[in-house]
């Protein structure tokens, strides 16, 4: 087989335009007759709202202020349609979109935002996912805050723990993380030469965006076009809708190009974060360090919207036992709504958080058994033919042992036996 | 309105600007130099870096009127007739460009560094780009690119 790309250094096709400053990100596009749009966002995490735009509408240069009343189908979301394009009755997080001002320039947009009256009737919120799982917790959506519960049951953990020589039990917590891609969200919408509502945006999912815009605007997908410009970093943070529907709606109604650029602050409050997780782990091993049982409960804070919660928590669950073969496993991973910023995709998609727990457990087990951290891993790690916690038989290459051995060699990792 | 005269990428401009206009807005909105990027608007990220009278500045923190009688270089002013600046070529060759949003500012910081110190050590290179954030590359390839360009 002739390989043209694999193993070779290939120059990026877009590198030239980027080193010369010619690469266009959506905010670099200026169109004739273009208007500017700005989003009004919730200042409180949980409240019923009443919105009065009349004063702002009278400001010279304000073209229109969009609210939920203007959206044909006021919902979207990558898996569950639990977001509203504009909140109609209640806000569920700080940063929830309430209205979209379109004006002749940015200064007028800002002035209009200050003149929209939002009456917040605050309601009790819930910010701790463990509290949120309780029956009497305030509800973010519907009548339960539990979005998803993934289970793995393999073998018999009771038996496994009974036969264990050591058992280590700990709870680990990770925090929320923002992608902080360098280019804040931006987009320009216009009507193209074939009459299609067109949105130029920096996105990870142009095809999904099109579906969501068409659905919210109640239009056939063929009448909507999404053009992906250069994307200034994303890392998962551009998987959910941000300004796409707002822009498309404005252009459809006003028949003019509209541009929106988020500030860094707005970017932070607008898009998803990495799920903070609370991971309760109980791991048992025999005298030689062979793993016998794992019981894990992983609770992921999804914030006010589900986004990819099911997919992320499923991935955490599947990866909960790490790259180790364990005969008896019980895993529960649960995604929960709270009134925190919503969480979604971010590099690793749920696989990033769990190693904090399972690797720490390995180190503690090793210490209790008087083993070094390398040998305990070598004793338990996946090899060709291993069966994972979900029952998958690994039949293809599993070069983990080779990898670890090379790392140990290059790091000159002191074996415990030698170090002490 | 204030009247200002300035040199941008070797070209003279006389303009009327609003008192509250920032240099970045002047460059992007009035002169169409959209290679100047805005990542934070508060001097943290360096995406808006331009060279002003030989020094790197964050154009989001400089007011347009402060640029009166100054000499500004943006990324658009770096490549000559059909040829790239050695730094631009090195960024391409070393794989130092990913999303590209930090790239114009990075290259300008590197240029300002090499103009003053043609043979910087790795540490001096890292110091020279310490005001520019990159979220994609992990910096190593950027440092490598500047290292490659320094001899050229
Ligand atoms: S935009 Fe000027 S430093 Fe970030
Ligand atoms: S290449 Fe994306 S921020 Fe540097």
């Amino acid at each position: 087989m002739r390989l043209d790309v694999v193993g070779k250094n290939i120059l990026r096709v877009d590198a030239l335009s980027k080193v010369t400053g010619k690469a266009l990100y959506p905010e670099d596009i200026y169109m004739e007759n273009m208007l500017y749009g700005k989003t009004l966002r919730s200042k409180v995490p949980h409240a019923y709202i009443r919105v009065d735009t009349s004063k702002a509408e009278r400001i010279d240069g304000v073209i229109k202020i969009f609210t939920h009343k203007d959206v044909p189908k006021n919902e979207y979301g990558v898996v569950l349609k639990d977001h509203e394009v504009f909140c109609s009755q209640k806000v569920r997080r700080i940063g929830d979109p309430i209205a979209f001002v379109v004006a002749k320039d940015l200064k007028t947009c800002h002035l209009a935002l200050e003149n929209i009256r939002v009456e917040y009737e605050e309601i009790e919120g819930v910010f701790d996912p463990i509290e949120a799982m309780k029956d009497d917790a305030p509800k973010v959506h519907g009548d339960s805050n539990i979005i998803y519960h993934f289970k793995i049951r393999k073998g018999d953990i009771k038996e496994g723990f009974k036969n264990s020589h050591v058992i280590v039990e700990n709870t680990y917590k990770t925090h929320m993380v923002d992608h902080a891609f360098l280019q804040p969200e931006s987009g320009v919408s216009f009507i193209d030469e074939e009459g299609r509502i067109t949105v130029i945006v920096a996105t990870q999912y142009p095809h999904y965006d099109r579906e969501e815009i068409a659905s919210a605007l109640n239009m056939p997908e063929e009448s909507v076009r999404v053009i992906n410009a250069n994307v200034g970093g994303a890392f998962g943070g551009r998987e959910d809708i941000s300004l796409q529907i707002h822009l498309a709606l404005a252009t459809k109604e006003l028949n003019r190009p509209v541009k929106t650029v988020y500030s860094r602050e707005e970017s932070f409050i607008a898009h998803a974060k990495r799920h903070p997780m609370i991971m309760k782990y109980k791991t048992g091993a025999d005298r030689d360090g062979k793993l016998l049982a794992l019981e894990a409960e992983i609770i992921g804070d999804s914030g006010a919207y589900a986004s990819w919660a099911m997919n992320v928590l499923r991935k955490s669950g599947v990866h909960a036992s790490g790259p180790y073969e364990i005969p008896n496993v019980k895993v529960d991973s649960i995604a929960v709504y709270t009134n925190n910023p919503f969480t979604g995709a971010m590099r690793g998609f749920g696989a990033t958080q769990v190693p904090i727990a399972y690797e720490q457990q390995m180190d503690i087990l090793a210490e209790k058994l008087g083993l070094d951290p390398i040998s305990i891993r070598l004793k338990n790690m996946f090899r060709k033919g291993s069966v994972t916690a979900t029952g998958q038989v690994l039949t293809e290459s599993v070069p983990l042992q080779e990898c670890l051995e090379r790392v140990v060699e290059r790091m000159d990792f002191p074996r415990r036996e030698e170090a002490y | 309105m204030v009247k200002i005269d300035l040199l941008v990428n070797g070209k003279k401009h006389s303009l009327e600007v609003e008192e509250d206009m920032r240099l970045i807005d002047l460059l992007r909105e009035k002169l169409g130099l959209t290679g100047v990027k805005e990542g934070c608007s508060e001097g943290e990220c360096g995406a808006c870096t331009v060279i002003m009278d030989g020094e790197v500045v964050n154009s989001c923190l400089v007011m347009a009127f402060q640029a009166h009688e100054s000499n500004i270089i943006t990324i658009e002013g770096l490549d000559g007739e059909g040829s790239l600046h050695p730094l631009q070529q090195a960024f391409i060759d070393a794989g130092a460009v990913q999303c590209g949003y930090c790239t114009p500012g990075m290259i300008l910081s590197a240029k300002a560094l090499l103009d003053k110190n043609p043979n910087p050590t790795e540490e001096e290179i890292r110091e020279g780009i310490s005001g520019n954030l990159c979220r994609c590359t992990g910096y190593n390839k950027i440092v490598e690119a500047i290292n490659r360009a320094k001899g050229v």
Side-chain angles (χ1 to χ4, degrees):
Chain A
M1 190 172 32
R2 204 170 66 97
L3 296 175
D4 291 332
V5 175
V6 176
K8 302 208 170 74
N9 283 325
I10 301 295
L11 299 184
R12 287 183 72 105
V13 287
D14 52 352
L16 178 64
S17 67
K18 287 173 173 174
V19 299
T20 50
K22 294 197 177 77
L24 294 181
Y25 301 80
E27 70 270 24
D28 302 331
I29 294 161
Y30 293 81
M31 301 189 110
E32 228 169 283
N33 218 6
M34 188 171 79
L35 300 167
Y36 288 82
K38 270 250 153 249
T39 318
L40 178 76
R41 294 177 181 278
S42 166
K43 293 197 162 48
V44 304
H46 207 195
Y48 291 109
I49 50 165
R50 214 166 304 133
V51 185
D52 179 2
T53 57
S54 54
K55 189 169 163 219
E57 268 157 21
R58 287 196 296 271
I59 294 171
D60 197 34
V62 171
I63 312 291
K64 188 169 165 75
I65 299 175
F66 294 88
T67 65
H68 70 97
K69 292 186 209 119
D70 302 293
V71 192
K73 198 165 168 216
N74 192 22
E75 59 168 45
Y76 70 88
V78 285
V79 181
L80 303 180
K81 303 289 169 204
D82 60 355
H83 285 267
E84 288 184 301
V85 177
F86 300 113
C87 296
S88 55
Q89 282 159 32
K90 105 171 173 165
V91 293
R92 298 176 168 88
R93 61 163 177 140
I94 291 175
D96 250 352
I98 296 173
F100 187 64
V101 172
V102 178
K104 67 173 196 325
D105 56 29
L106 269 177
K107 268 187 200 162
T108 312
C109 286
H110 286 292
L111 189 64
L113 286 188
E114 284 163 25
N115 281 283
I116 298 177
R117 271 188 54 130
V118 183
E119 247 176 70
Y120 294 102
E121 185 196 319
E122 290 205 52
I123 41 187
E124 195 192 342
V126 58
F127 304 95
D128 172 352
I130 292 180
E131 287 301 313
M133 286 166 70
K134 295 181 180 158
D135 283 339
D136 59 352
K139 301 295 180 288
V140 183
H141 299 264
D143 51 18
S144 169
N145 289 326
I146 296 178
I147 305 170
Y148 176 74
H149 185 166
F150 171 78
K151 297 177 186 178
I152 297 176
R153 304 288 182 261
K154 180 192 180 191
D156 178 356
I157 54 162
K158 251 197 208 144
E159 200 51 34
F161 285 123
K162 208 174 80 196
N163 298 330
S164 294
H165 180 66
V166 263
I167 294 174
V168 169
E169 276 186 83
N170 283 303
T171 300
Y172 303 88
K173 289 183 186 176
T174 61
H175 56 85
M176 202 170 266
V177 180
D178 191 273
H179 319 73
F181 37 75
L182 203 59
Q183 176 230 353
E185 291 87 341
S186 64
V188 181
S189 54
F190 61 100
I191 298 188
D192 79 354
E193 61 288 349
E194 287 177 42
R196 290 173 294 195
I197 306 289
T198 306
V199 182
I200 303 176
V201 62
T203 175
Q204 288 183 260
Y205 274 142
H207 46 293
Y208 268 29
D209 291 357
R210 185 169 84 143
E211 240 177 77
E212 298 263 38
I213 294 168
S215 151
L217 268 48
N218 209 0
M219 291 174 78
E221 271 180 48
E222 304 78 67
S223 313
V224 177
R225 187 175 170 206
V226 173
I227 300 174
N228 207 357
N230 281 290
V231 181
F235 321 123
R238 297 190 207 260
E239 293 201 11
D240 309 274
I241 287 286
S242 54
L243 39 65
Q244 292 88 327
I245 302 175
H246 300 171
L247 284 173
L249 174 69
T251 283
K252 184 181 175 226
E253 291 269 314
L254 304 171
N255 223 333
R256 285 176 69 172
V258 183
K259 180 185 208 166
T260 291
V261 182
Y262 287 0
S263 65
R264 175 59 61 187
E265 288 79 1
E266 184 171 11
S267 175
F268 275 143
I269 61 165
H271 67 248
K273 305 280 172 277
R274 177 179 276 157
H275 287 75
M277 290 189 186
I278 301 169
M279 303 173 285
K280 217 170 129 192
Y281 264 66
K282 180 176 175 186
T283 319
D286 72 10
R287 212 174 287 272
D288 301 326
K290 194 97 187 85
L291 296 174
L292 294 182
L294 165 70
E295 183 176 14
E297 185 192 57
I298 300 160
I299 296 167
D301 182 354
S302 186
Y305 298 97
S307 181
W308 292 111
M310 317 68 185
N311 310 60
V312 170
L313 269 293
R314 187 189 310 128
K315 193 148 187 153
S316 301
V318 168
H319 285 261
S321 51
Y324 305 114
E325 208 171 357
I326 313 176
N328 306 294
V329 177
K330 176 174 182 273
V331 174
D332 290 87
S333 68
I334 302 163
V336 187
Y337 282 130
T338 64
N339 294 107
N340 289 324
F342 80 104
T343 55
M346 182 177 176
R347 310 191 69 167
F349 216 64
T352 318
Q353 293 90 329
V354 279
I356 306 244
Y358 63 69
E359 295 298 357
Q360 192 64 42
Q361 291 287 94
M362 292 301 270
D363 287 345
I364 297 170
L365 280 169
E367 197 174 293
K368 296 216 160 170
L369 288 163
L371 292 168
D372 70 274
I374 308 298
S375 339
I376 193 168
R377 286 174 170 82
L378 285 172
K379 217 164 261 176
N380 292 287
M381 65 174 42
F382 285 159
R383 292 178 170 77
K384 214 170 157 174
S386 294
V387 183
T388 69
T390 51
Q392 183 183 356
V393 185
L394 302 175
T395 55
E396 301 298 321
S397 87
V398 189
L400 189 56
Q401 182 175 346
E402 191 190 334
C403 173
L404 182 63
E405 281 167 352
R406 279 207 221 168
V407 169
V408 168
E409 192 188 303
R410 297 222 186 145
M411 284 178 68
D412 200 16
F413 201 97
R415 294 287 183 119
R416 177 156 294 220
E417 291 93 325
E418 294 160 20
Y420 291 91
Chain B
M1 288 289 198
V2 198
K3 206 179 144 318
I4 61 167
D5 301 301
L6 75 172
L7 206 59
V8 180
N9 299 331
K11 247 170 86 188
K12 269 194 189 150
H13 294 273
S14 284
L15 301 151
E16 292 252 308
V17 298
E18 283 129 39
E19 286 80 353
D20 62 354
M21 181 176 248
R22 304 169 304 168
L23 178 57
I24 187 171
D25 305 319
L26 166 77
L27 296 170
R28 286 180 55 88
E29 312 264 327
K30 293 229 166 196
L31 303 180
L33 299 169
T34 54
V36 186
K37 300 299 175 204
E38 185 160 9
C40 70
S41 324
E42 58 177 43
E44 283 293 337
C45 74
C48 65
T49 301
V50 300
I51 300 177
M52 183 171 172
D53 298 327
E55 300 288 335
V56 286
V57 295
N58 292 322
S59 61
C60 71
L61 294 185
V62 177
M63 299 309 287
F65 66 79
Q66 292 177 299
H68 180 50
E69 293 187 335
S70 70
N71 179 0
I72 308 272
I73 298 170
T74 74
I75 193 70
E76 288 90 346
L78 233 56
D79 46 329
E81 305 281 297
S83 71
L84 293 177
H85 186 280
L87 273 164
Q88 292 173 312
Q89 191 61 52
F91 266 64
I92 297 177
D93 295 341
V97 179
Q98 287 190 29
C99 84
Y101 207 72
C102 69
T103 308
M106 267 312 167
I107 291 178
L108 289 166
S109 284
K111 176 177 159 40
L113 169 71
L114 296 186
D115 286 349
K116 284 191 191 152
N117 176 3
N119 193 20
T121 62
E122 179 175 333
E123 213 178 305
E124 287 166 336
I125 292 175
R126 289 189 183 270
E127 176 75 38
I129 56 166
S130 61
N132 296 76
L133 296 181
C134 175
R135 290 290 291 158
C136 305
T137 64
Y139 301 100
N140 285 345
K141 300 211 164 177
I142 293 174
V143 173
E144 189 192 321
I146 300 170
N147 228 333
R148 278 195 200 194
K150 74 182 181 188
V152 187

